[in-house]
Amino acid sequence: MKYIIVTGGVISGLGKGITTSSIAKILKTRGMKVTAIKIDPYLNYDAGTMNPYQHGEVFVLDDGGEVDLDLGNYERFLDENLTFDHNITTGKIYKTVIERERKGEYLGKTVQIIPHITEEIKRRIKKIGIESGADVTIIEIGGTVGDIESMPFLEAARQLWIEEGFRNVLFVHTTLVPIIDVVGEQKTKPTQHSVKELRSLGIQPDIIIGRAKEKLTTETRRKISLFCNVPYEAVISAPDAKSIYEVPLIFEEQGLGEYIMGKLQLWGENPEWKEWNRFLKNLKNPKDEVTIAIVGKYVHLKDSYISHREALAHVASKLKTKVNMKWIDSEKIEEDGPEILKGAHGILIPGGFGSRGSEGKIMAAKFARENNVPFLGVCFGFQLAVVEFARNVLGYEDANSTELQPSTSAPVIDLLPEQRDVENLGGTMRLGAQKIIIEKGSLAHKIYGKREIEERHRHRYEVNPDYIEEFEKKGLHFSGKDESGTRMEIFELKDHIFYMGSQFHPEFKSRPLRPSPLHLMLVKKAIEYKSQ
Ligand code: GLN
């Protein structure tokens, strides 16, 4: 078993997640079995209760784990499904250790960060490596070296190196190499300091990845090599890339793949980049272009909707069409009206929670329905389109979701029955992969090409079964349901270019070479709409 540990220095937001994903990809193309773990040194048990403005989107896995968005990147790059255990948090570690202490399992000992917390960290890392049968387990440690929060994790990583042997554990450190405008020179001092900090914790990096606008110059690489004590060929550039999917190839060109294989004494196949290259080529040579408006309330932080952004990138390559994303704050629609949506060839309303901005989303759904603009509503977007239809077509002026207006006289979206007695907010929604049965001959059937699918969920509310008949009568057709047939999963509107909604989140399972079918159809219809 081999381990690669990725740390970050100088500042956060260096793209450590993409670096980790790219290294994973490079090794996978050599026939290695690779898995990836994200460590988040916060006390939250998981990402589920956090606002997207904290760390971006909450990603959802097949097993229902609500995790850091980096796991979404790992899944997209590796094209593999990960589990909740692949996201280790301080919260999870402490909870286990304290529970063990309460059971008396420490046999009267004083329970301490070293060794008990570090043991639990290593136990979890090794367990994943073994269970997934990986040749290489890549572990990304969130935060920046020097943070108090990440100390136990770095200490555990150092111990892992001693225990597993230096041929089996590799440290990759990503840092910032800034350019001071007036001089125009790449500055290596921040990197030197951050490596010094890492060394003071007993960790000598094997590879340094320098983030800079441009490639690192020979001089910069020499300096980093000399002062940080790594071989010249182990100093790798991570320049700005047009697409994140280029990063593995940028690393590959610099020999990172061979270097890692050599260091870890791994023997693999010749790397296979054909499909990946074709994906990138199509992405970079579009024949057409469309604009999709994305209406949400967290639009000021693009990472809040990262899986939608990536799903649309996957579609863009598949259709050789540039997809411009126009991010629209739904509160702005409430203030200025839906006219700002004009010019978009398609409208997407992603998931969300709470009433702020929800009326603007309802206005956007109405605009799309009435103006025959291609529309996709996902989860909250699905629910609000149903509310809009109830208000303006069925004539229930006061229709709403009980999430937003508990006293509404027409609760067309209501709490799932099993949610009524739920008290804790964390991890209690209807989560993860669930089966959906699609009606034969429906548009959804045509889109998915099969009658049974599995998509990921994250919700507490659903379409109130009491109103289904009325919706159906007026043309809002539910063509996808859960296995019991009582839970609405997909709607499609008759006599509309494309007006669809899903209670599930198709964006979470979108992969570069297998884009989300619903996003694909949205863009196809947007192209059709544009050419009208
Ligand atoms: N707030 C809605 C619910 O809980 C929608 C959730 C979502 O969009 N993920 O059902």
Side-chain angles (χ1 to χ4, degrees):
M1 178 76 62
K2 310 281 181 178
Y3 299 94
I4 299 176
I5 294 155
V6 181
T7 54
V10 187
I11 56 165
S12 62
L14 282 176
K16 232 185 316 149
I18 299 301
T19 298
T20 306
S21 306
S22 299
I23 293 174
K25 177 75 189 165
I26 291 179
L27 297 175
K28 191 175 175 182
T29 55
R30 287 174 164 75
M32 296 288 114
K33 176 117 184 58
V34 186
T35 196
I37 298 173
K38 173 73 192 290
I39 289 178
D40 283 305
Y42 45 63
L43 275 163
N44 303 58
Y45 187 74
D46 62 29
T49 55
M50 273 188 274
N51 182 304
Y53 276 143
Q54 294 288 307
H55 299 276
E57 168 188 280
V58 177
F59 192 75
V60 182
L61 301 169
D62 268 350
D63 68 2
E66 298 170 280
V67 295
D68 183 79
L69 60 80
D70 276 321
L71 275 91
N73 287 322
Y74 304 163
E75 284 203 342
R76 289 184 281 265
F77 277 68
L78 276 175
D79 195 13
E80 253 161 67
N81 296 326
L82 303 176
T83 70
F84 190 41
D85 286 345
H86 290 244
N87 196 181
I88 299 176
T89 62
T90 301
K92 281 185 187 173
I93 300 288
Y94 274 74
K95 187 161 185 269
T96 310
V97 171
I98 291 171
E99 276 169 6
R100 286 192 63 191
E101 184 275 330
R102 289 291 79 186
K103 282 189 198 142
E105 288 180 20
Y106 291 107
L107 306 174
K109 291 207 183 87
T110 307
V111 182
Q112 293 179 297
I113 293 185
I114 302 171
H116 303 103
I117 292 293
T118 46
E119 284 301 327
E120 176 57 17
I121 295 168
K122 286 183 292 175
R123 187 189 68 81
R124 285 189 179 242
I125 291 173
K126 289 181 190 169
K127 182 166 166 267
I128 290 167
I130 291 163
E131 278 176 1
S132 52
D135 302 312
V136 185
T137 301
I138 305 191
I139 304 122
E140 175 188 349
I141 302 184
T144 311
V145 170
D147 296 347
I148 290 178
E149 283 87 349
S150 49
M151 290 295 183
F153 294 104
L154 291 166
E155 169 59 15
R158 187 194 64 79
Q159 294 176 12
L160 196 71
W161 175 71
I162 285 293
E163 287 167 16
E164 299 292 313
F166 64 92
R167 283 204 180 82
N168 299 322
V169 181
L170 202 69
F171 287 97
V172 177
H173 191 54
T174 54
T175 71
L176 176 74
V177 181
I179 293 178
I180 305 302
D181 269 348
V182 271
V183 203
E185 182 194 353
Q186 292 176 337
K187 293 293 188 186
T188 64
K189 238 344 171 263
T191 300
Q192 296 178 38
H193 277 294
S194 126
V195 169
K196 206 167 143 196
E197 183 83 38
L198 200 53
R199 282 221 214 102
S200 73
L201 303 171
I203 296 172
Q204 163 66 45
D206 298 286
I207 294 167
I208 292 179
I209 299 195
R211 277 285 289 124
K213 257 192 130 39
E214 312 280 335
K215 280 206 166 143
L216 303 180
T217 63
T218 310
E219 185 51 27
T220 305
R221 288 180 67 193
R222 271 210 195 106
K223 264 195 194 160
I224 293 177
S225 164
L226 181 65
F227 294 125
C228 300
N229 199 27
V230 293
Y232 178 79
E233 66 267 33
V235 183
I236 305 288
S237 299
D240 287 352
K242 270 218 171 81
S243 158
I244 53 170
Y245 301 107
E246 266 178 85
V247 178
L249 291 163
I250 294 174
F251 288 169
E252 185 76 300
E253 273 167 21
Q254 301 175 68
L256 182 59
E258 290 314 307
Y259 189 81
I260 292 176
M261 297 291 282
K263 272 295 247 191
L264 289 176
Q265 300 190 334
L266 288 166
W267 285 267
E269 301 155 11
N270 276 337
E272 172 54 75
W273 288 106
K274 221 166 63 206
E275 283 195 318
W276 200 259
N277 271 322
R278 194 177 330 122
F279 167 81
L280 274 171
K281 193 171 156 228
N282 290 345
L283 193 64
K284 289 201 274 189
N285 298 291
K287 302 204 171 359
D288 199 353
E289 113 181 69
V290 290
T291 299
I292 304 291
I294 303 173
V295 181
K297 81 172 167 186
Y298 309 112
V299 289
H300 304 289
L301 179 73
K302 300 288 178 289
D303 272 357
S304 309
Y305 302 110
I306 181 171
S307 291
H308 283 288
R309 194 176 73 201
E310 295 314 314
L312 289 172
H314 307 156
V315 169
S317 167
K318 175 116 187 168
L319 298 177
K320 295 197 182 99
T321 300
K322 184 169 181 222
V323 180
N324 302 310
M325 288 163 235
K326 195 171 168 189
W327 302 91
I328 294 181
D329 182 343
S330 55
E331 284 184 290
K332 194 114 182 76
I333 301 183
E334 291 172 10
E335 284 161 26
D336 303 340
E339 282 69 36
I340 36 173
L341 294 166
K342 279 190 181 147
H345 308 112
I347 295 172
L348 170 66
I349 306 185
F353 296 84
S355 56
R356 184 168 67 80
S358 62
E359 286 301 321
K361 293 178 188 171
I362 292 174
M363 288 161 83
K366 181 167 188 263
F367 179 88
R369 186 177 57 76
E370 292 184 337
N371 295 290
N372 205 37
V373 181
F375 172 87
L376 178 62
V378 170
C379 204
F380 200 41
F382 162 94
Q383 297 173 356
L384 294 178
V386 168
V387 169
E388 188 280 315
F389 198 85
R391 286 187 191 172
N392 300 310
V393 181
L394 303 189
Y396 294 109
E397 269 172 42
D398 176 46
N400 218 328
S401 162
T402 51
E403 177 184 358
L404 312 173
Q405 180 55 268
S407 62
T408 171
S409 61
V412 290
I413 303 293
D414 203 4
L415 207 56
L416 290 156
E418 67 268 29
Q419 287 283 329
R420 295 200 193 278
D421 299 321
V422 168
E423 276 175 14
N424 284 349
L425 278 186
T428 54
M429 284 188 246
R430 179 173 181 244
L431 288 166
Q434 312 273 351
K435 212 177 261 171
I436 295 137
I437 312 293
I438 294 178
E439 184 192 65
K440 204 172 165 193
S442 62
L443 177 60
H445 186 193
K446 218 163 91 190
I447 291 173
Y448 274 95
K450 46 186 170 188
R451 297 275 324 275
E452 234 186 81
I453 57 168
E454 257 188 29
E455 290 277 18
R456 297 179 183 174
H457 293 71
R458 184 173 187 243
H459 66 121
R460 262 182 235 288
Y461 293 80
E462 64 165 343
V463 180
N464 184 340
D466 296 345
Y467 292 88
I468 308 274
E469 237 186 271
E470 281 183 75
F471 283 120
E472 291 281 353
K473 257 193 218 146
K474 293 282 185 185
L476 193 72
H477 179 51
F478 293 97
S479 55
K481 298 177 186 172
D482 78 332
E483 277 183 293
S484 73
T486 56
R487 198 150 282 171
M488 302 304 115
E489 291 279 7
I490 304 176
F491 74 62
E492 50 194 63
L493 184 64
K494 298 204 172 97
D495 304 321
H496 193 286
I497 181 168
F498 179 68
Y499 196 85
M500 207 171 219
S502 66
Q503 182 58 75
F504 54 82
H505 291 265
E507 71 275 19
F508 291 142
K509 276 177 58 174
S510 190
R511 304 279 162 87
L513 305 173
R514 270 181 295 113
S516 143
L518 296 185
H519 290 75
L520 182 64
M521 193 48 109
L522 174 69
V523 177
K524 272 189 187 166
K525 291 293 181 176
I527 296 169
E528 187 185 317
Y529 175 85
K530 189 188 165 194
S531 67
Q532 277 174 11

